[in-house]
């Protein structure tokens, strides 16, 4: 039986495990106690339910992010900033050669509503898709309640810089958030401001380390400063980045603490290109024609520096700008 809900999301009634199935265009999504099943006219695929929900949560929270969000080597989305492609096998050489790949384009609001409905129905009370595996309960088993408080968290976005009057980010992130178990050694003192005469009250500062030490989520960059299109998006990382990100622009990483291993692949075929180990203090520019996934053995702090200029994807894909920012 197909039920059409008010927002246009197509869903069936619960299966024997208690979960609804969803369809979007010619794609269908269903889950059981361990796995998520994705089907399209020329193929099908399954993913572990926990990994699927972690990826889905980020794709929703990031508004489909920059470029491609691969849930794994087969399914994912491409952001065209207004419309979104949902694909299977499109960025996988073997699926392409076997002609099993499939892509459909949707208005952003339509795919977003469907994704939100899936996340809401499939996230049990025990599971927080933003938390590290050590700090959340299980995603598995028959349907067991919901976790709306976790999946509808408001994202912290600074309009200017955190701590500048009028910015809400510090208030919403730091107050009431305990220091994470793995950042108990991070000093909590704030910088002291000694302004020159005439500049009193016009300078602001905050300790980014102290701020990040209280972040309750993992792999979720938050904007802490915006200067025109230059966005500083630091984040705390633990375990595996839940998506394989295929970028449409260059992205800079500054490893602020600890260590992350990056697997870097060709964006379009998935062929392995590099393995990068980033230690505290290391800086890397990820080229615009790769995809990457990070592994953080211990909770670490990473600054993701984004250029939000909307002209970049076209300038890079047309060859007017290079895919790497520096030639050595
Ligand atoms: C990225 O794809 O560049 C990315 C995404 C989320 C993070 C860190 C890096 O937390
Ligand atoms: Fe990225």
């Amino acid at each position: 039986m197909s039920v059409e809900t008010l927002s246009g999301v197509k869903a069936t009634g619960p299966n024997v495990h208690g979960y609804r199935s969803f369809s979007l265009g010619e794609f269908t999504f269903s889950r059981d106690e361990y796995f998520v099943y994705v089907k399209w006219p020329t193929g099908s695929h399954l993913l572990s339910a926990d990994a699927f929900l972690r990826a889905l949560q980020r794709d929703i929270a990031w508004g489909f992010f920059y470029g491609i969000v691969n849930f794994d080597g087969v399914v994912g989305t491409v952001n065209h900033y207004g419309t979104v492609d949902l694909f299977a096998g499109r960025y996988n050489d073997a699926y392409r050669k076997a002609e099993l790949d499939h892509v459909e384009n949707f208005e952003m609001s339509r795919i977003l509503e469907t994704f939100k409905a899936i996340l809401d129905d499939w996230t049990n009370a025990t599971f927080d898709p933003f938390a590290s595996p050590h700090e959340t309960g299980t995603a598995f088993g028959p349907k067991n309640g919901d976790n709306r408080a976790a999946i509808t968290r408001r994202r912290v976005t600074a309009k200017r810089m955190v701590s500048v009057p009028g910015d809400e980010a510090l208030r919403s992130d730091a107050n009431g958030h305990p220091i994470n178990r793995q950042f108990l050694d991070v000093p909590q003192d704030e910088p002291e401001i000694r302004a020159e005469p005439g500049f009193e009250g016009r300078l602001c500062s905050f300790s980014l380390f102290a701020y990040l030490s209280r972040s309750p989520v993992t792999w979720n960059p938050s904007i802490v400063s915006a200067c025109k299109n230059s966005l500083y998006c630091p984040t705390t990382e633990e375990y595996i980045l839940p998506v394989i990100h295929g970028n449409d622009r260059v992205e800079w990483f500054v490893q602020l603490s600890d260590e992350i291993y990056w697997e870097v692949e060709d964006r379009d075929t998935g062929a392995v290109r590099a393995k990068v180990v980033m230690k505290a203090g290391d800086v890397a520019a990820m080229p615009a024609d790769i995809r990457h996934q990070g592994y953080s053995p211990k909770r670490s702090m990473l600054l993701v520096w984004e250029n939000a200029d909307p002209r970049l994807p076209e300038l890079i894909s047309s060859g007017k700008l290079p895919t790497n920012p520096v030639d050595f």
Side-chain angles (χ1 to χ4, degrees):
M1 183 186 62
S2 191
V3 186
E4 188 122 4
T5 69
L6 281 181
S7 55
V9 175
K10 286 193 179 139
T12 67
N15 62 17
V16 292
H17 312 282
Y19 299 105
R20 293 180 191 281
S21 299
F22 296 83
S23 63
L24 183 60
E26 294 193 284
F27 282 93
T28 64
F29 297 85
S30 56
R31 87 156 273 188
D32 61 18
E33 299 193 12
Y34 282 120
F35 298 113
V36 167
Y37 303 82
V38 184
K39 294 191 174 135
W40 61 95
T42 49
S44 64
H45 183 59
L46 84 173
L47 300 83
S48 188
D50 61 336
F52 178 86
L53 293 171
R54 287 189 178 106
L56 184 68
Q57 171 72 83
R58 284 158 184 85
D59 215 12
I60 293 169
W62 304 345
F64 302 97
F65 209 31
Y66 299 104
I68 305 173
V69 170
N70 297 280
F71 285 32
D72 65 0
V74 179
V75 298
T77 57
V78 187
N79 194 352
H80 297 292
Y81 311 100
T83 68
V84 176
D85 288 346
L86 176 61
F87 66 81
R90 173 65 185 80
Y91 299 95
N92 180 309
D93 217 26
Y95 275 74
R96 291 279 282 168
K97 286 187 175 135
E99 298 183 4
L100 295 176
D101 58 306
H102 185 75
V103 187
E104 282 180 63
N105 183 262
F106 301 99
E107 285 299 320
M108 186 180 283
S109 57
R110 178 155 173 233
I111 179 168
L112 189 63
E113 288 313 314
T114 302
F115 275 17
K116 281 183 180 169
I118 298 174
L119 183 69
D120 183 70
D121 191 69
W122 293 0
T123 304
N124 289 316
T126 44
F127 188 60
D128 178 353
F130 269 132
S132 74
H134 194 68
E135 294 178 342
T136 181
T138 182
F140 302 124
K143 184 162 168 72
N144 163 25
D146 63 66
N147 196 353
R148 294 207 172 114
I151 67 175
T152 60
R153 273 192 188 92
R154 207 168 62 84
R155 208 172 162 207
V156 178
T157 53
K159 297 280 178 292
R160 299 165 67 200
M161 186 184 84
V162 168
S163 83
V164 170
D167 182 72
E168 292 177 32
L170 191 65
R171 269 181 281 135
S172 55
D173 202 22
N175 288 5
H177 286 303
I179 302 169
N180 184 266
R181 77 197 196 288
Q182 296 201 329
F183 288 142
L184 294 173
D185 58 344
V186 174
Q188 296 296 311
D189 37 330
E190 291 295 335
E192 186 187 332
I193 297 177
R194 294 187 199 166
E196 290 287 325
F199 292 90
E200 298 90 347
R202 295 178 60 189
L203 294 172
C204 298
S205 66
F206 74 107
S207 164
L208 181 60
F209 288 95
Y211 177 82
L212 288 175
S213 71
R214 298 171 182 278
S215 167
V217 296
T218 58
W219 304 104
N220 190 35
S222 315
I223 302 169
V224 299
S225 74
C227 181
K228 299 188 178 166
N229 281 318
S230 169
L231 307 182
Y232 266 10
C233 313
T235 152
T236 56
E237 320 297 48
E238 191 176 324
Y239 190 54
I240 305 173
L241 172 57
V243 308
I244 310 171
H245 180 219
N247 223 330
D248 59 9
R249 65 198 69 211
V250 170
E251 199 175 37
W252 290 82
F253 289 162
V254 181
Q255 189 69 39
L256 298 177
S257 84
D258 304 282
E259 203 166 293
I260 297 180
Y261 301 92
W262 287 95
E263 300 274 332
V264 182
E265 300 168 340
D266 182 86
R267 188 191 55 194
D268 297 331
T269 66
V272 176
R273 257 177 73 169
K275 287 175 185 286
V276 180
V277 185
M278 292 191 68
K279 297 174 190 278
D282 286 348
V283 179
M286 291 284 172
D289 59 354
I290 57 96
R291 67 191 194 194
H292 51 207
Q293 186 168 37
Y295 293 68
S296 187
K298 158 183 186 301
R299 205 175 191 90
S300 67
M301 298 182 183
L302 173 70
L303 175 62
V304 180
W305 184 21
E306 296 284 2
N307 184 337
D309 189 328
R311 294 167 303 177
L312 283 175
E314 157 64 15
L315 287 170
I316 291 168
S317 62
S318 65
K320 291 195 188 100
L321 278 183
T323 51
N324 55 318
V326 200
D327 278 318
F328 293 105

